[in-house]
Amino acid sequence: MADIDSLKAKFGVSGRISFGTTIWGADVIEIRNEDCRATLALAGAQLIDWTPEGEWPVIWLPAEPRLTPGKALRGGVPVCWPWFGAHPALADAPAHGFARTAKWVLEVAKETDDGTTLVLRLDVPEGSRPDWPHGAEAWLAITAGRTLLIDLETRNTGGTPFALTEALHTYFRIGEITDTLIVGLDGSTYLDALDGFARKIAPPVTTIAGEIDRVHLGRHSPIVICDEELRRHIVVESEGSESTVVWNPWIAKSERLGDMGEDGYRRMLCVETANAFDDARVLAPGETHRIAQTVSVHPI
Ligand code: TA6
């Protein structure tokens, strides 16, 4: 983990960007500008807070976040890369790839017209990993302002093509799961992870009254999370994404996971900008691929 002091020395501590450690032990970069506050955990380059001025937090964390070595922090926006879900071949490889627990390198911290931007890089030399023999480089750019932009670019730096699956696994903060619905997936084909990944057709509006785990195939943008309790719409516009994952663990799975916190499932909903399953991307040597999401909040 990059030493916080060395980051302070390299990037300075402007009035808008600071470096520190949370009370539960995560080394973080904190942003505070006129439009929002945001926090990025250095481990896994995981955004764990984005709160526009005058709004409730938009990103969910459990009430008592818990760091477990080698395991992604529950909540925030884990970067699932360079595979989504189970490894295509190795049962003992980590679910959702290794980027979300990797040591990313902060390359840029700057102000832009849209807010404060952090850019982090993850380099995977060819042949350096038994579970991923390819050469790849990932660049993650996060711009926090009145809106939130998360942009993930992958470059094939090796000599052979590879198939990439990925997700910006966003845990959105909502008021009450049973008073929340999702608009924008109507009529899409989805794989139901709770029913052997059977292919089904999405209803006009997605509501949640139990565990839900669906991979919607095809492009869907914008998607709107309608939150009756917090009286707001969260709008997710994506680029380069042909899949959208919808997940809530509900009660029993939350207990099995053990890190969702008391009633955590009631206050979160994952809507993930992704490329998964049929929507895998194949990158030739030297080729790049970009997936991005812009999140905005609208009172109702
Ligand atoms: O994105 C949905 C999902 O694949 C679910 O199946 C569930 O496993 C969730 O991700 C969380 O995965 P994690 O490895 O973070 O516990």
Side-chain angles (χ1 to χ4, degrees):
M1 188 62 54
D3 173 66
I4 289 292
D5 292 338
S6 64
L7 288 172
K8 287 178 182 174
K10 182 174 180 184
F11 292 96
V13 179
S14 74
R16 291 160 166 245
I17 298 172
S18 59
F19 300 87
T21 303
T22 65
I23 54 172
W24 36 277
D27 287 340
V28 295
I29 306 172
E30 292 175 316
I31 290 169
R32 191 79 180 87
N33 60 40
E34 59 272 2
D35 291 322
C36 77
R37 70 164 197 262
T39 305
L40 181 94
L42 281 167
Q46 188 168 346
L47 189 75
I48 58 173
D49 175 37
W50 173 58
T51 305
E53 198 59 41
E55 263 302 336
W56 287 81
V58 181
I59 303 298
W60 177 86
L61 276 186
E64 295 175 1
R66 191 188 321 155
L67 286 178
T68 307
K71 189 167 178 273
L73 176 71
R74 181 69 57 198
V77 186
V79 177
C80 300
W81 184 94
W83 65 84
F84 176 85
H87 186 282
L90 303 174
D92 59 350
H96 290 326
F98 49 82
R100 62 178 183 162
T101 54
K103 294 180 183 178
W104 292 67
V105 176
L106 179 63
E107 297 286 356
V108 174
K110 64 179 181 180
E111 297 305 320
T112 64
D113 293 342
D114 297 320
T116 305
T117 295
L118 303 175
V119 180
L120 299 99
R121 176 177 59 86
L122 177 63
D123 182 34
V124 186
E126 191 164 25
S128 63
R129 292 184 63 97
D131 56 6
W132 181 261
H134 310 292
E137 189 174 63
W139 289 83
L140 184 72
I142 295 172
T143 299
R146 194 65 211 158
T147 60
L148 173 69
L149 169 63
I150 303 181
D151 184 316
L152 174 63
E153 183 171 282
T154 301
R155 174 184 301 278
N156 183 342
T157 57
T160 56
F162 61 68
L164 170 71
T165 56
E166 60 194 340
L168 301 174
H169 196 298
T170 311
Y171 288 72
F172 287 102
R173 169 72 164 85
I174 48 134
E176 178 59 73
I177 189 65
T178 51
D179 291 339
T180 301
L181 49 88
I182 303 171
V183 173
L185 294 169
D186 45 310
S188 65
T189 297
Y190 69 88
L191 307 177
D192 186 347
L194 304 180
D195 184 13
F197 291 94
R199 286 172 187 266
K200 302 178 180 178
I201 301 300
V205 170
T206 298
T207 55
I208 300 99
E211 184 179 355
I212 188 171
D213 192 349
R214 300 177 179 177
V215 181
H216 294 262
L217 302 174
R219 172 159 173 64
H220 302 92
S221 178
I223 290 175
V224 183
I225 300 170
C226 305
D227 184 338
E228 189 58 37
E229 173 99 356
L230 297 184
R231 306 295 302 150
R232 67 184 184 182
H233 287 169
I234 298 173
V235 178
V236 184
E237 296 169 282
S238 62
E239 294 173 71
S241 164
E242 292 295 321
S243 317
T244 302
V245 183
V246 174
W247 180 62
N248 183 289
W250 210 253
I251 301 168
K253 178 138 190 186
S254 291
E255 287 168 359
R256 292 197 300 274
L257 290 171
D259 55 6
M260 288 289 298
E262 183 70 27
D263 278 354
Y265 77 96
R266 294 178 54 189
R267 311 292 179 219
M268 55 68 65
L269 176 59
C270 283
V271 175
E272 306 161 32
T273 300
N275 287 299
F277 296 95
D278 307 23
D279 296 325
R281 307 299 221 211
V282 176
L283 272 69
E287 193 174 359
T288 61
H289 161 72
R290 175 176 173 268
I291 186 171
Q293 67 178 21
T294 300
V295 181
S296 56
V297 181
H298 308 268
I300 52 176

